[in-house]
Amino acid sequence: MVVLAGGFAVVYHGVSEDRARSAGERDLGSGSATDPYKYFVNVPAGDTKQYPADVPGYMPSATPSAEQLATADPRQLYWAVLKRQGMAVITEVTKVGGYMTTQDYEADWPGGLVSHSVIDWRSRKFIQEDTSVKADGSPDTSTVRRCLDSNTVGTYSQADPIVGKPAGWETAPDSMHACDDKLKPNQDVANVIDGDGIAPAGLSSSDMDKFISYLDHVPGLIHVEKPIVATGKDGKQYIQLKVSLTPQDSKLQSNDFRMGQAFLNAAFVQTGKNPSTWPFIISGNVGQGKRMAYYIDPQTLLPAYSVFMDTKVLNVDGTPDLQAPQPQWRQLYEYGFPQQLDSSRLQASGTPDNAAYKAPPFDRPDFN
């Protein structure tokens, strides 16, 4: 700003420079609810754009058109899927695995521990069940653990003829606090099972526009390959979409390595909400990226299954950080978007059906 004083022009550089900075730049380091700096990222938010939940040129159908997909913008398709997922008011996520090494992934797929979580984000009521599945994909119903309320768990066990124990349920206090801690602030361990660590849930359209806008404006962060039609072993057709989240320079001078999943937190806080209190919990190291294979319902444009793999931490120059831990976890997800909670899954009765797990109708994705 220029002010005339006694015939002299006085320039107040601080004022003019501050006005020249964008709102996102002024927010950096401010400590506000939307400040990315708190999450190890020194990259300001850009302008908020509006992202449609539909894809121009693509007509949703149970039998998707390969020709339409070939002309669809892959990035726009992914944003539409992510926006629909983030606006869902009831989410159902079944996590299977994870597979810490390539050897575990190849030997145990699609088996492992199963966590089945259903959340109504309006009322914060939830279903939580834990069990396991065999490596051949068949259910292991020997034991199922279910939250009955915030302080009580029900455990179903198969009959044991050796000791004369019949099959049935037993109830007990929640000594591990897995039910009590669910959806509570700063309980990241309990809440990491509630989503896939990429998409939030229960947000408004404008919130998702802010979330996606931040991810979209960071060069190199998100890469989306061309979608293809994939026919599952169940006879259904899916849209197969491969996506990469690649670590980028976080612009923090104190950082010797790039940031990956930390950008997800920086994007989420643009909504004004706190990831740990919403909750929205990333599922890996903040420096790691992800490679993702989605199998999308072609009618709803919501994911049906996905497999994610954490990628290696990178130095600022883009080379692998050989000093940092490099667990390349693979995780299998199955999704559902029901209209209401199934109250039978809040009771210690009936015969459990392996926490609603269904083996994926596709071969193990190869991330090599």
Side-chain angles (χ1 to χ4, degrees), residues 4-159:
L4 295 177
F8 294 95
V10 180
V11 181
Y12 290 90
H13 291 286
V15 174
S16 57
E17 288 175 359
D18 186 66
R19 284 184 175 177
R21 297 165 70 204
S22 68
E25 290 170 331
R26 292 195 300 272
D27 195 32
L28 276 181
S30 68
S32 72
T34 55
D35 182 4
Y37 195 86
K38 296 187 296 183
Y39 297 91
F40 315 110
V41 173
N42 197 30
V43 178
D47 294 334
T48 298
K49 302 177 182 178
Q50 292 184 335
Y51 292 84
D54 296 308
V55 181
Y58 173 75
M59 182 68 66
S61 169
T63 55
S65 166
E67 290 76 15
Q68 289 181 358
L69 287 177
T71 59
D73 182 333
R75 196 173 181 89
Q76 196 166 26
L77 171 61
Y78 184 54
W79 297 144
V81 171
L82 200 62
K83 185 165 187 177
R84 290 180 180 226
Q85 193 176 354
M87 291 170 58
V89 294
I90 301 181
T91 56
E92 180 175 16
V93 178
T94 304
K95 297 178 67 171
V96 187
Y99 314 101
M100 186 173 185
T101 66
T102 300
Q103 292 76 17
D104 292 339
Y105 184 50
E106 293 175 350
D108 298 338
W109 166 278
L113 298 177
V114 176
S115 176
H116 179 223
S117 175
V118 190
I119 300 171
D120 186 326
W121 291 91
R122 299 161 300 187
S123 65
R124 297 302 170 112
K125 293 182 179 179
F126 65 85
I127 293 167
Q128 179 62 47
E129 301 173 305
D130 300 285
T131 183
S132 60
V133 64
K134 300 174 184 177
D136 63 1
S138 63
D140 180 358
T141 56
S142 57
T143 302
V144 176
R145 186 177 183 275
R146 174 182 290 168
C147 290
L148 304 180
D149 56 43
S150 61
N151 299 305
T152 311
V153 296
T155 302
Y156 176 88
S157 299
Q158 288 184 333

Side-chain angles (χ1 to χ4, degrees), residues 281-303:
I281 311 299
I282 62 174
S283 60
N285 184 310
V286 293
Q288 289 180 286
K290 280 190 185 292
R291 295 179 66 186
M292 300 164 273
Y294 287 91
Y295 296 83
I296 299 162
D297 184 320
Q299 291 182 285
T300 65
L301 290 184
L302 286 166

